[in-house]
Coordinates of all heavy atoms in Angstrom, one line a residue:
M154 N 12.9 6.8 2.6 CA 12.3 7.8 1.8 C 13.0 7.9 0.5 O 12.4 7.9 -0.6 CB 12.5 9.2 2.5 CG 11.6 10.3 1.9 SD 9.9 10.0 2.0 CE 9.3 11.6 1.4
K155 N 14.3 8.0 0.5 CA 15.1 8.1 -0.7 C 14.8 6.8 -1.6 O 14.8 7.0 -2.9 CB 16.6 8.0 -0.5 CG 17.2 9.4 -0.2 CD 17.8 10.1 -1.4 CE 18.4 11.4 -1.0 NZ 17.6 12.6 -1.4
K156 N 14.7 5.6 -0.9 CA 14.4 4.5 -1.7 C 13.1 4.6 -2.5 O 13.0 4.2 -3.6 CB 14.2 3.2 -0.7 CG 15.3 2.1 -1.0 CD 15.0 1.0 -0.1 CE 16.2 0.1 0.1 NZ 16.0 -0.8 1.2
I157 N 12.1 5.1 -1.8 CA 10.8 5.2 -2.4 C 10.9 6.2 -3.6 O 10.3 5.9 -4.6 CB 9.8 5.8 -1.4 CG1 9.5 4.8 -0.2 CG2 8.4 6.1 -2.1 CD1 8.8 5.2 0.8
I158 N 11.5 7.2 -3.4 CA 11.7 8.3 -4.5 C 12.3 7.6 -5.7 O 12.0 7.8 -6.8 CB 12.6 9.5 -4.0 CG1 11.8 10.2 -3.0 CG2 13.0 10.4 -5.1 CD1 12.6 11.3 -2.3
K159 N 13.4 6.8 -5.5 CA 14.2 6.1 -6.5 C 13.2 5.3 -7.2 O 13.1 5.1 -8.5 CB 15.2 5.2 -5.9 CG 16.3 4.9 -6.9 CD 17.4 5.9 -6.9 CE 18.2 5.8 -8.2 NZ 18.9 7.0 -8.5
R160 N 12.3 4.5 -6.5 CA 11.5 3.5 -7.0 C 10.5 4.2 -8.0 O 10.1 3.7 -9.0 CB 10.6 2.7 -6.0 CG 10.3 1.3 -6.5 CD 9.5 0.5 -5.5 NE 10.1 0.5 -4.1 CZ 9.3 0.3 -3.0 NH1 8.0 0.1 -3.1 NH2 9.9 0.2 -1.9
I161 N 9.9 5.3 -7.5 CA 8.9 6.1 -8.3 C 9.6 6.7 -9.5 O 9.1 6.7 -10.6 CB 8.4 7.3 -7.4 CG1 7.5 6.6 -6.3 CG2 7.6 8.2 -8.2 CD1 6.8 7.6 -5.4
Q162 N 10.9 7.0 -9.3 CA 11.5 7.6 -10.5 C 11.7 6.5 -11.5 O 11.6 6.8 -12.7 CB 13.0 8.1 -10.1 CG 12.9 9.6 -9.5 CD 14.1 10.0 -9.0 OE1 15.1 9.3 -8.6 NE2 14.3 11.4 -9.0
N163 N 12.1 5.3 -11.1 CA 12.3 4.2 -12.0 C 11.0 3.9 -12.7 O 10.8 3.6 -13.9 CB 12.7 3.0 -11.3 CG 14.2 3.0 -10.9 OD1 14.9 3.8 -11.5 ND2 14.6 2.3 -9.9
A164 N 9.8 4.0 -11.9 CA 8.6 3.7 -12.6 C 8.3 4.6 -13.7 O 7.5 4.3 -14.7 CB 7.5 3.7 -11.4
F165 N 8.7 5.8 -13.5 CA 8.4 6.8 -14.6 C 9.5 6.9 -15.7 O 9.4 7.8 -16.5 CB 8.1 8.2 -13.9 CG 6.9 8.4 -13.2 CD1 6.6 8.1 -11.9 CD2 5.7 8.7 -14.0 CE1 5.4 8.3 -11.3 CE2 4.5 9.0 -13.4 CZ 4.3 8.7 -12.1
K166 N 10.4 6.1 -15.6 CA 11.5 6.2 -16.5 C 11.3 6.4 -18.0 O 11.9 7.1 -18.6 CB 12.6 5.1 -16.2 CG 14.0 5.6 -16.3 CD 15.0 4.7 -15.6 CE 16.1 5.6 -15.1 NZ 17.0 4.9 -14.2
P167 N 10.3 5.5 -18.5 CA 10.0 5.7 -20.0 C 9.7 7.1 -20.3 O 10.0 7.4 -21.4 CB 8.8 4.8 -20.1 CG 8.8 3.9 -18.9 CD 9.5 4.5 -17.8
R168 N 9.2 7.9 -19.4 CA 8.9 9.3 -19.7 C 10.2 10.0 -19.3 O 11.2 9.6 -19.4 CB 7.7 9.7 -18.9 CG 6.4 9.1 -19.5 CD 5.2 9.7 -18.9 NE 4.2 8.8 -18.4 CZ 3.3 9.1 -17.6 NH1 3.2 10.3 -17.1 NH2 2.4 8.3 -17.2
E169 N 9.9 11.3 -18.8 CA 11.1 12.1 -18.4 C 11.5 11.8 -17.1 O 10.7 11.2 -16.2 CB 10.6 13.5 -18.5 CG 10.8 14.2 -19.8 CD 10.3 15.6 -19.9 OE1 9.0 15.7 -20.1 OE2 11.1 16.6 -19.6
Q170 N 12.7 12.0 -16.8 CA 13.2 12.0 -15.4 C 12.5 13.0 -14.6 O 12.4 14.1 -14.9 CB 14.8 12.2 -15.5 CG 15.5 11.9 -14.2 CD 15.7 10.4 -14.0 OE1 15.5 9.7 -14.9 NE2 15.9 10.1 -12.8
L171 N 12.0 12.4 -13.3 CA 11.4 13.3 -12.5 C 12.4 14.0 -11.5 O 13.3 13.3 -11.0 CB 10.3 12.5 -11.7 CG 9.1 12.1 -12.5 CD1 8.2 11.3 -11.6 CD2 8.3 13.3 -13.0
T172 N 12.1 15.2 -11.2 CA 13.0 15.9 -10.2 C 12.5 15.4 -8.8 O 11.4 14.9 -8.6 CB 12.9 17.3 -10.3 OG1 11.5 17.7 -10.0 CG2 13.2 17.8 -11.7
D173 N 13.3 15.5 -7.9 CA 12.8 15.2 -6.5 C 11.6 15.9 -6.1 O 10.8 15.4 -5.4 CB 14.1 15.4 -5.6 CG 15.1 14.3 -5.5 OD1 14.9 13.4 -6.3 OD2 16.0 14.4 -4.7
E174 N 11.6 17.2 -6.5 CA 10.6 18.1 -6.1 C 9.2 17.5 -6.6 O 8.3 17.6 -5.8 CB 10.8 19.4 -6.7 CG 10.1 20.6 -6.0 CD 10.1 21.9 -6.8 OE1 11.0 22.1 -7.6 OE2 9.2 22.6 -6.6
V175 N 9.2 17.1 -7.9 CA 7.9 16.5 -8.4 C 7.6 15.2 -7.7 O 6.4 15.1 -7.3 CB 8.2 16.2 -9.9 CG1 6.9 15.5 -10.5 CG2 8.4 17.6 -10.7
V176 N 8.5 14.4 -7.3 CA 8.3 13.2 -6.7 C 7.7 13.5 -5.2 O 6.8 12.8 -4.9 CB 9.6 12.3 -6.6 CG1 9.2 11.0 -5.8 CG2 10.0 11.9 -8.0
L177 N 8.4 14.5 -4.6 CA 7.9 14.7 -3.3 C 6.4 15.2 -3.3 O 5.7 15.0 -2.4 CB 8.8 15.8 -2.7 CG 10.1 15.2 -2.1 CD1 11.1 16.3 -1.7 CD2 10.0 14.2 -1.0
K178 N 6.1 16.0 -4.2 CA 4.7 16.6 -4.4 C 3.9 15.5 -4.6 O 2.7 15.4 -4.0 CB 4.8 17.5 -5.7 CG 4.4 19.0 -5.3 CD 4.3 19.8 -6.5 CE 5.0 21.1 -6.3 NZ 5.2 21.8 -7.6
F179 N 4.3 14.5 -5.5 CA 3.4 13.3 -5.7 C 3.2 12.5 -4.5 O 2.1 12.1 -4.2 CB 4.2 12.5 -6.7 CG 3.5 11.2 -7.1 CD1 2.2 11.2 -7.6 CD2 4.0 10.0 -7.1 CE1 1.5 10.1 -8.0 CE2 3.4 8.8 -7.3 CZ 2.2 8.9 -7.8
L180 N 4.2 12.3 -3.7 CA 4.1 11.6 -2.4 C 3.2 12.3 -1.4 O 2.4 11.7 -0.7 CB 5.5 11.4 -1.8 CG 6.5 10.4 -2.3 CD1 7.8 10.4 -1.7 CD2 5.8 9.0 -2.3
K181 N 3.3 13.6 -1.5 CA 2.4 14.4 -0.5 C 0.8 14.2 -1.0 O 0.2 14.1 -0.1 CB 2.7 15.9 -0.7 CG 2.6 16.6 0.7 CD 3.3 17.9 0.6 CE 3.1 18.6 1.9 NZ 3.5 20.0 2.0
V182 N 0.6 14.2 -2.2 CA -0.7 13.9 -2.7 C -1.2 12.6 -2.2 O -2.3 12.4 -1.7 CB -0.8 14.0 -4.1 CG1 -2.2 13.5 -4.7 CG2 -0.5 15.4 -4.6
L183 N -0.3 11.5 -2.3 CA -0.7 10.2 -1.9 C -0.9 10.2 -0.3 O -1.9 9.6 0.1 CB 0.5 9.2 -2.1 CG 0.7 8.8 -3.6 CD1 1.8 7.7 -3.7 CD2 -0.6 8.1 -4.0
D184 N -0.1 10.9 0.4 CA -0.2 11.0 1.8 C -1.6 11.6 2.2 O -2.2 11.1 3.1 CB 0.9 11.9 2.4 CG 1.9 11.1 3.3 OD1 1.7 9.9 3.2 OD2 2.6 11.7 4.1
N185 N -1.9 12.7 1.6 CA -3.2 13.3 1.8 C -4.3 12.4 1.6 O -5.3 12.4 2.3 CB -3.3 14.6 1.0 CG -2.4 15.7 1.5 OD1 -2.0 15.7 2.7 ND2 -2.0 16.7 0.7
A186 N -4.2 11.6 0.4 CA -5.3 10.7 0.1 C -5.5 9.8 1.2 O -6.6 9.3 1.4 CB -5.0 10.2 -1.3
R187 N -4.3 9.3 1.7 CA -4.5 8.2 2.7 C -5.0 8.8 4.0 O -5.8 8.2 4.8 CB -3.1 7.6 3.0 CG -3.2 6.1 3.1 CD -1.7 5.5 3.3 NE -0.9 6.0 2.3 CZ 0.3 6.4 2.7 NH1 0.8 6.3 3.9 NH2 1.1 6.9 1.6
A188 N -4.6 10.0 4.4 CA -5.1 10.6 5.7 C -6.5 10.9 5.6 O -7.1 10.7 6.6 CB -4.3 11.9 5.8
E189 N -7.1 11.2 4.4 CA -8.5 11.5 4.4 C -9.2 10.1 4.1 O -9.1 9.8 2.9 CB -8.8 12.5 3.4 CG -8.2 14.0 3.8 CD -8.5 15.0 2.7 OE1 -9.5 14.8 2.0 OE2 -7.8 16.0 2.6
E190 N -9.8 9.6 5.1 CA -10.5 8.3 4.7 C -11.7 8.5 3.8 O -12.2 7.6 3.3 CB -10.8 7.6 6.1 CG -9.6 7.3 6.8 CD -9.8 6.2 7.8 OE1 -10.7 5.5 7.6 OE2 -8.9 6.1 8.7
M191 N -12.3 9.7 3.9 CA -13.4 9.9 3.0 C -13.1 11.2 2.2 O -12.3 12.0 2.6 CB -14.7 10.1 3.8 CG -14.6 11.3 4.7 SD -16.0 11.3 5.9 CE -17.4 10.5 4.9
S192 N -13.6 11.2 1.0 CA -13.4 12.4 0.1 C -14.2 13.5 0.6 O -15.2 13.4 1.3 CB -13.8 12.0 -1.3 OG -15.2 11.9 -1.4
C193 N -13.9 14.7 0.1 CA -14.7 15.9 0.5 C -16.0 15.7 -0.1 O -17.0 16.2 0.7 CB -14.0 17.2 -0.1 SG -12.3 17.4 0.6
G194 N -16.3 15.1 -1.2 CA -17.7 15.0 -1.7 C -18.5 14.1 -0.8 O -19.6 14.4 -0.5
D195 N -17.9 13.0 -0.3 CA -18.5 12.1 0.6 C -19.0 12.9 1.9 O -20.0 12.7 2.4 CB -17.6 10.9 1.1 CG -17.4 9.9 0.0 OD1 -18.2 10.0 -1.0 OD2 -16.5 9.1 0.1
L196 N -18.0 13.6 2.4 CA -18.3 14.4 3.6 C -19.4 15.4 3.4 O -20.3 15.5 4.2 CB -17.1 15.2 4.1 CG -17.2 15.9 5.4 CD1 -16.2 15.6 6.3 CD2 -17.4 17.4 5.0
F197 N -19.4 16.0 2.2 CA -20.4 17.0 2.0 C -21.8 16.4 2.1 O -22.8 17.0 2.6 CB -20.2 17.5 0.6 CG -20.3 19.0 0.5 CD1 -19.2 19.7 1.0 CD2 -21.3 19.6 0.0 CE1 -19.3 21.1 1.0 CE2 -21.4 21.0 0.0 CZ -20.5 21.7 0.5
M198 N -22.0 15.2 1.7 CA -23.3 14.5 1.7 C -23.9 14.3 3.1 O -25.0 14.1 3.3 CB -23.4 13.3 0.9 CG -22.9 13.6 -0.6 SD -23.5 12.3 -1.7 CE -22.7 10.9 -1.2
Q199 N -22.9 14.2 4.0 CA -23.3 13.9 5.4 C -23.2 15.0 6.4 O -23.4 14.9 7.5 CB -22.5 12.7 5.9 CG -22.7 11.4 5.0 CD -21.8 10.3 5.5 OE1 -22.0 9.8 6.7 NE2 -21.0 9.8 4.8
L200 N -22.7 16.1 5.8 CA -22.4 17.3 6.7 C -23.5 17.8 7.4 O -23.5 18.2 8.6 CB -21.6 18.3 5.9 CG -20.9 19.4 6.7 CD1 -19.9 18.9 7.6 CD2 -20.2 20.5 5.8
D201 N -24.6 17.9 6.6 CA -25.9 18.4 7.2 C -26.2 17.6 8.4 O -26.5 18.1 9.5 CB -27.0 18.2 6.2 CG -27.0 19.3 5.2 OD1 -26.0 19.9 5.1 OD2 -28.0 19.5 4.5
E202 N -26.2 16.3 8.4 CA -26.6 15.4 9.4 C -25.7 15.6 10.6 O -26.1 15.6 11.7 CB -26.5 14.0 8.8 CG -27.3 13.0 9.8 CD -27.2 11.5 9.3 OE1 -26.8 11.4 8.1 OE2 -27.4 10.7 10.1
F203 N -24.4 15.7 10.3 CA -23.4 15.8 11.3 C -23.6 17.1 12.1 O -23.6 17.1 13.3 CB -21.9 15.8 10.7 CG -20.8 15.9 11.7 CD1 -20.4 14.7 12.3 CD2 -20.3 17.1 12.0 CE1 -19.3 14.8 13.3 CE2 -19.2 17.1 12.9 CZ -18.7 16.1 13.6
V204 N -23.8 18.2 11.4 CA -24.0 19.4 12.0 C -25.3 19.5 12.9 O -25.3 20.0 14.0 CB -24.0 20.6 11.0 CG1 -24.4 22.0 11.7 CG2 -22.6 20.7 10.4
E205 N -26.2 18.9 12.3 CA -27.6 18.8 13.0 C -27.4 18.1 14.4 O -27.9 18.5 15.3 CB -28.6 18.1 12.2 CG -30.0 18.5 12.5 CD -30.9 18.5 11.3 OE1 -30.5 19.2 10.3 OE2 -32.0 18.0 11.4
R206 N -26.6 16.9 14.4 CA -26.5 16.1 15.5 C -25.7 17.0 16.5 O -25.9 16.9 17.7 CB -25.7 14.9 15.2 CG -26.7 13.8 14.6 CD -26.0 12.5 14.5 NE -27.0 11.6 14.1 CZ -26.8 10.4 13.5 NH1 -25.5 10.1 13.1 NH2 -27.7 9.6 13.2
E207 N -24.7 17.7 16.0 CA -23.8 18.5 16.8 C -24.7 19.6 17.6 O -24.6 19.8 18.8 CB -22.8 19.2 16.0 CG -21.7 19.9 16.7 CD -20.4 19.3 16.7 OE1 -20.3 18.0 16.9 OE2 -19.4 20.0 16.5
V208 N -25.5 20.2 16.8 CA -26.4 21.2 17.4 C -27.3 20.7 18.4 O -27.6 21.4 19.5 CB -27.2 22.0 16.2 CG1 -28.2 22.9 16.8 CG2 -26.2 22.8 15.3
N209 N -27.8 19.5 18.1 CA -28.7 18.8 19.2 C -27.9 18.1 20.2 O -28.6 17.3 20.9 CB -29.6 17.9 18.4 CG -30.5 18.6 17.4 OD1 -31.0 19.7 17.7 ND2 -30.7 18.0 16.2
S210 N -26.7 18.3 20.3 CA -25.7 17.6 21.1 C -26.0 16.1 21.2 O -26.2 15.5 22.3 CB -25.8 18.1 22.5 OG -26.8 19.1 22.7
K211 N -26.0 15.4 20.1 CA -26.2 14.0 20.0 C -24.9 13.3 19.8 O -24.8 12.3 19.1 CB -27.1 13.7 18.9 CG -28.6 13.9 19.2 CD -29.5 13.3 18.2 CE -30.9 13.8 18.4 NZ -31.6 13.7 17.1
D212 N -23.8 13.8 20.3 CA -22.5 13.1 20.2 C -22.2 12.9 18.7 O -21.8 11.7 18.4 CB -22.5 11.7 21.0 CG -21.9 11.9 22.3 OD1 -21.4 13.0 22.6 OD2 -22.1 11.0 23.1
A213 N -22.2 13.9 17.9 CA -21.8 13.7 16.5 C -20.5 13.1 16.3 O -20.2 12.3 15.4 CB -21.9 15.1 15.8
E214 N -19.5 13.5 17.1 CA -18.2 13.0 17.0 C -18.1 11.5 17.1 O -17.4 10.8 16.4 CB -17.2 13.6 18.0 CG -17.0 15.0 17.8 CD -16.0 15.6 18.9 OE1 -15.3 14.8 19.4 OE2 -16.1 16.8 19.1
K215 N -18.9 11.0 18.0 CA -18.8 9.4 18.3 C -19.6 8.7 17.3 O -19.2 7.6 16.8 CB -19.3 9.2 19.7 CG -18.3 9.3 20.7 CD -18.8 9.0 22.1 CE -18.0 9.7 23.2 NZ -18.7 10.0 24.4
L216 N -20.7 9.4 16.8 CA -21.6 8.7 15.9 C -21.0 8.7 14.5 O -21.3 7.8 13.8 CB -22.9 9.3 15.8 CG -23.8 9.1 17.1 CD1 -25.0 10.0 17.2 CD2 -24.3 7.5 17.2
M217 N -20.4 9.7 14.1 CA -19.7 10.0 12.8 C -18.3 10.3 12.9 O -17.9 11.3 12.5 CB -20.5 10.9 12.0 CG -22.1 10.6 12.0 SD -23.0 12.0 11.4 CE -23.2 11.7 9.8
P218 N -17.5 9.3 13.3 CA -16.1 9.6 13.6 C -15.3 10.0 12.3 O -14.3 10.7 12.4 CB -15.5 8.3 14.3 CG -16.6 7.2 13.8 CD -17.8 8.0 13.7
L219 N -15.7 9.3 11.2 CA -14.9 9.6 10.1 C -15.1 11.1 9.5 O -14.2 11.7 9.2 CB -15.5 8.8 8.9 CG -14.9 7.3 8.9 CD1 -15.5 6.5 7.7 CD2 -13.4 7.3 8.9
I220 N -16.3 11.6 9.7 CA -16.6 13.0 9.5 C -15.7 13.9 10.4 O -15.0 14.8 9.9 CB -18.0 13.3 9.6 CG1 -18.8 12.4 8.7 CG2 -18.3 14.8 9.4 CD1 -19.9 13.1 8.0
H221 N -15.7 13.7 11.7 CA -15.0 14.3 12.6 C -13.5 14.4 12.2 O -12.8 15.4 12.3 CB -15.2 13.7 14.0 CG -14.4 14.6 15.0 ND1 -14.6 15.8 15.4 CD2 -13.4 14.1 15.8 CE1 -13.9 16.2 16.3 NE2 -13.1 15.2 16.6
E222 N -13.0 13.3 11.8 CA -11.6 13.0 11.6 C -11.3 13.9 10.3 O -10.2 14.5 10.1 CB -11.4 11.5 11.2 CG -9.9 11.1 11.3 CD -9.8 9.6 11.2 OE1 -10.5 8.8 11.8 OE2 -9.0 9.2 10.2
H223 N -12.1 13.7 9.3 CA -11.9 14.5 8.0 C -11.9 16.1 8.4 O -11.1 16.7 7.8 CB -13.0 14.2 7.0 CG -12.7 14.8 5.7 ND1 -12.3 14.2 4.6 CD2 -13.0 16.1 5.3 CE1 -12.2 15.0 3.6 NE2 -12.6 16.1 4.0
L224 N -12.8 16.5 9.2 CA -12.9 17.9 9.4 C -11.6 18.3 10.1 O -11.2 19.5 9.9 CB -14.1 18.1 10.3 CG -15.4 18.1 9.7 CD1 -16.5 18.2 10.7 CD2 -15.5 19.0 8.6
D225 N -11.0 17.5 10.9 CA -9.7 17.7 11.6 C -8.6 18.0 10.6 O -7.8 18.8 10.8 CB -9.3 16.6 12.5 CG -9.5 16.9 14.0 OD1 -10.1 18.0 14.1 OD2 -9.1 16.2 14.8
L226 N -8.7 17.1 9.4 CA -7.6 17.1 8.4 C -7.7 18.1 7.4 O -6.8 18.6 6.8 CB -7.4 15.8 7.9 CG -7.1 14.6 8.9 CD1 -7.3 13.3 8.3 CD2 -5.7 14.8 9.3
C227 N -9.0 18.5 7.0 CA -9.3 19.2 5.8 C -9.8 20.6 6.2 O -10.9 20.7 6.7 CB -10.3 18.4 5.0 SG -10.7 19.2 3.5
S228 N -9.0 21.6 5.9 CA -9.4 22.9 6.3 C -10.6 23.4 5.5 O -11.4 24.2 5.9 CB -8.2 23.9 6.2 OG -7.7 23.9 4.9
E229 N -10.6 23.1 4.3 CA -11.8 23.4 3.4 C -13.2 23.0 3.9 O -14.1 23.7 4.0 CB -11.6 22.8 1.9 CG -11.2 23.8 0.9 CD -10.9 23.1 -0.4 OE1 -11.9 22.7 -1.1 OE2 -9.7 22.9 -0.7
C230 N -13.2 21.6 4.2 CA -14.4 21.1 4.7 C -14.7 21.6 6.2 O -15.8 21.9 6.5 CB -14.4 19.6 4.8 SG -14.4 18.7 3.2
S231 N -13.6 21.9 6.9 CA -13.9 22.4 8.2 C -14.4 23.8 8.2 O -15.3 24.3 9.0 CB -12.5 22.4 8.9 OG -12.3 23.4 9.8
D232 N -14.0 24.6 7.1 CA -14.6 26.0 7.0 C -16.1 25.8 6.7 O -16.9 26.6 7.2 CB -13.9 26.7 5.8 CG -12.6 27.3 6.2 OD1 -12.3 27.2 7.3 OD2 -11.9 27.7 5.2
E233 N -16.4 24.8 5.8 CA -17.8 24.6 5.3 C -18.6 24.3 6.5 O -19.7 24.7 6.8 CB -17.7 23.5 4.3 CG -18.9 23.4 3.4 CD -18.9 24.7 2.5 OE1 -17.9 25.1 2.0 OE2 -20.0 25.3 2.5
Y234 N -18.0 23.4 7.4 CA -18.7 22.9 8.6 C -19.0 24.1 9.6 O -20.1 24.2 10.1 CB -17.8 21.9 9.2 CG -18.0 21.7 10.6 CD1 -19.2 21.0 11.2 CD2 -17.1 22.1 11.7 CE1 -19.4 20.7 12.5 CE2 -17.3 22.0 13.0 CZ -18.5 21.2 13.5 OH -18.6 21.1 14.8
E235 N -18.0 25.0 9.8 CA -18.2 26.1 10.7 C -19.3 27.0 10.2 O -20.1 27.5 10.9 CB -16.9 26.9 10.7 CG -15.7 26.2 11.2 CD -15.6 26.1 12.7 OE1 -16.4 26.8 13.4 OE2 -14.8 25.5 13.4
A236 N -19.3 27.2 8.8 CA -20.2 28.1 8.2 C -21.7 27.5 8.4 O -22.6 28.2 8.9 CB -20.0 28.2 6.8
L237 N -21.8 26.2 8.2 CA -23.1 25.5 8.4 C -23.6 25.5 9.8 O -24.8 25.7 10.1 CB -23.0 24.1 7.8 CG -24.2 23.4 7.5 CD1 -25.1 24.1 6.4 CD2 -23.9 22.0 6.9
L238 N -22.6 25.3 10.6 CA -22.9 25.4 12.1 C -23.4 26.7 12.5 O -24.5 26.7 13.3 CB -21.6 25.0 12.9 CG -21.8 24.8 14.3 CD1 -22.6 23.5 14.6 CD2 -20.5 24.4 15.1
A239 N -22.9 27.7 12.0 CA -23.1 29.2 12.4 C -24.6 29.3 11.9 O -25.4 29.9 12.6 CB -22.2 30.1 11.8
V240 N -24.9 29.0 10.8 CA -26.1 29.1 10.1 C -27.3 28.5 11.0 O -28.3 29.0 11.3 CB -26.3 28.6 8.7 CG1 -27.7 28.6 8.2 CG2 -25.5 29.5 7.8
L241 N -27.0 27.2 11.3 CA -28.0 26.4 12.1 C -28.2 26.9 13.4 O -29.3 27.0 14.0 CB -27.5 24.9 12.3 CG -27.9 23.9 11.2 CD1 -27.5 22.6 11.5 CD2 -29.4 24.0 10.9
E242 N -27.1 27.5 14.0 CA -27.2 28.0 15.5 C -28.0 29.3 15.3 O -28.7 29.7 16.3 CB -25.9 28.2 16.0 CG -25.4 26.9 16.7 CD -23.9 27.0 17.2 OE1 -23.2 27.9 16.8 OE2 -23.5 26.1 17.9
N243 N -27.8 30.0 14.3 CA -28.5 31.3 14.2 C -30.1 31.1 14.1 O -30.9 31.8 14.5 CB -28.1 32.1 13.0 CG -26.7 32.8 13.5 OD1 -26.5 33.1 14.7 ND2 -25.9 33.1 12.5
T244 N -30.4 30.1 13.3 CA -31.8 29.8 13.0 C -32.6 29.3 14.1 O -33.7 29.4 14.3 CB -32.0 28.8 11.7 OG1 -31.1 27.6 12.0 CG2 -31.6 29.4 10.5
R245 N -31.8 28.8 15.1 CA -32.4 28.2 16.3 C -32.9 29.3 17.3 O -33.8 29.1 18.0 CB -31.4 27.4 17.1 CG -31.1 26.1 16.3 CD -30.5 25.1 17.3 NE -31.4 23.8 17.2 CZ -31.6 23.1 18.3 NH1 -31.1 23.4 19.5 NH2 -32.3 22.1 18.2
E246 N -32.2 30.4 17.2 CA -32.7 31.4 18.2 C -33.9 32.2 17.8 O -34.4 32.2 16.6 CB -31.5 32.5 18.2 CG -30.4 32.0 19.0 CD -29.1 32.7 18.9 OE1 -29.0 33.6 18.0 OE2 -28.2 32.5 19.7
Ligands
ZN294 ZN1 -12.4 17.8 2.8

């Protein structure tokens, strides 16, 4: 970890010296980007389909694993998903 921080600090050397805090924040952003295999925008375009499959019990998790994974990691999209699911379930009744 320290090594990576040092390397990033070196990479930014022409500019200002970065504090550890800034570098750690930067690493965290990179980590999040890697963890989410699809962007929130990508997910959004397929969320309708995912929720519809879920409501129709068509194994949405297996058919669209990336979406399921993203929903696990991203609280924003997961909120959106819950809301959409609630709407769909209500309209069915
Ligand atoms: Zn998201």
Side-chain angles (χ1 to χ4, degrees):
M154 192 64 175
K155 274 265 186 262
K156 239 188 203 167
I157 299 172
I158 292 173
K159 198 94 199 157
R160 213 188 302 158
I161 291 175
Q162 277 177 337
N163 285 339
F165 282 93
K166 216 154 207 172
R168 291 194 225 158
E169 267 176 279
Q170 190 72 18
L171 289 176
T172 63
D173 277 4
E174 202 192 336
V175 171
V176 175
L177 282 174
K178 248 184 220 167
F179 180 56
L180 283 178
K181 214 166 182 193
V182 170
L183 283 184
D184 245 14
N185 285 339
R187 219 177 316 136
E189 295 178 29
E190 294 199 20
M191 64 194 323
S192 73
C193 296
D195 287 344
L196 180 131
F197 225 75
M198 299 204 297
Q199 297 178 62
L200 193 57
D201 281 18
E202 198 184 340
F203 183 83
V204 173
E205 203 145 315
R206 283 191 171 152
E207 187 110 313
V208 170
N209 296 322
S210 11
K211 280 188 193 160
D212 263 349
E214 292 181 21
K215 275 180 204 154
L216 289 167
M217 302 165 96
L219 280 183
I220 301 222
H221 179 64
E222 203 176 304
H223 184 103
L224 289 175
D225 253 7
L226 295 167
C227 179
S228 59
E229 250 173 79
C230 289
S231 146
D232 283 352
E233 206 59 52
Y234 157 75
E235 300 276 354
L237 200 54
L238 191 63
V240 169
L241 271 187
E242 275 175 346
N243 281 334
T244 50
R245 294 201 119 214
E246 281 166 350

